[in-house]
Amino acid sequence: MTGIIIYKIETFVIMMLLGVLAARLHILKKDGLSTLSGLLVKITFPCLGFALIYDADTSLLDFAANWKFVVFELLLSAFLLVLGFLSMKLMRLPNSTRQIHIIQTMFGNQGFMNIPILLSIFTHGEASVYIAIFTLVDQILLWSLGVVIMSSSDPANKKVLSLNTLKKILNPMNLSMLAAVLFTTFHIHLPEVLSSTITSVGNVASVLR
């Protein structure tokens, strides 16, 4: 396990250095970051979310069978939400960073290190269903509750649950994962060339994020 952690850290450092090099060589420019962000949020992340659930064949029956796991994750998320709010108050953070602090406390980057470690330990696929369930709940919370939290700092949103916020919740990430659950639940099978393409595009997110 230690070797896996060191390997992932080394990979992370190399990718950061490549990013710094690309910025120094003016390959990546500030005016292009919005385009890169749009690529991640609207294409690669949704493909990654869809592939993770579809490839693991995780359906609503799996959620029902593992409802205790889902409840525990929701309780843990609620605890981290409260922790983020309380620590924000204790540190007296300015309004410009309060919501970001709560989001960072509540959600982590499980995909880069935690999930690869689990997959290396449970090599026969025992963890794939749990990882898919965890990811779906975690990402839906991030792209719904997280969006609501971040939107609360926008002066244009007089109401937390405004029409604009609801539109943001219906984002490609949430829609793609819900679509994947429907596909697996009703046994809708995509052509191999399409499913493998979605998986390949989703894997791009692991490097770009």
Side-chain angles (χ1 to χ4, degrees), residues 12 40 45 48 109-113 116 204-209:
F12 182 66
L40 284 168
F45 277 163
L48 180 63
N109 188 2
Q110 291 85 7
F112 182 77
M113 188 172 295
V204 174
S206 300
V207 179
L208 293 181
R209 63 183 173 184

Side-chain angles (χ1 to χ4, degrees), residues 51-167:
L52 187 62
I53 296 168
Y54 182 84
D55 293 345
D57 197 25
T58 306
S59 66
L60 288 176
L61 294 177
D62 294 305
F63 282 86
N66 298 281
W67 65 271
K68 292 181 180 179
F69 181 81
V70 176
V71 170
F72 177 78
E73 182 179 356
L74 291 174
L75 291 175
L76 179 61
S77 298
F79 169 76
L80 293 174
L81 174 63
V82 174
L83 180 63
F85 181 80
L86 292 177
S87 58
M88 173 200 75
K89 291 290 187 180
L90 289 173
M91 291 187 289
R92 298 180 181 180
L93 295 177
N95 293 333
S96 58
T97 59
R98 287 184 175 184
Q99 286 75 16
I100 296 175
H101 172 77
I102 294 175
I103 295 296
Q104 287 180 330
T105 304
M106 189 175 178
F107 303 100
N109 188 2
Q110 291 85 7
F112 182 77
M113 188 172 295
N114 299 359
I115 290 178
I117 291 174
L118 288 174
L119 290 176
S120 67
I121 296 174
F122 301 97
T123 55
H124 298 291
E126 305 98 320
S128 59
V129 172
Y130 293 103
I131 290 173
I133 292 174
F134 177 87
T135 302
L136 178 64
V137 175
D138 179 72
Q139 290 301 304
I140 286 182
L141 284 175
L142 173 61
W143 291 93
S144 55
L145 180 59
V147 168
V148 172
I149 293 173
M150 292 302 297
S151 298
S152 64
S153 63
D154 188 355
N157 291 327
K158 296 181 180 180
K159 296 181 179 179
V160 175
L161 291 177
S162 63
L163 181 60
N164 186 40
T165 302
L166 292 176
K167 288 180 179 179

Side-chain angles (χ1 to χ4, degrees), residues 162-195:
S162 63
L163 181 60
N164 186 40
T165 302
L166 292 176
K167 288 180 179 179
K168 291 179 180 178
I169 292 176
L170 295 175
N171 53 68
M173 188 65 180
N174 280 342
L175 295 176
S176 67
M177 290 189 296
L178 292 175
V181 172
L182 291 177
F183 273 57
T184 55
T185 300
F186 294 101
H187 305 289
I188 302 173
H189 299 288
L190 295 174
E192 178 63 26
V193 63
L194 182 56
S195 62

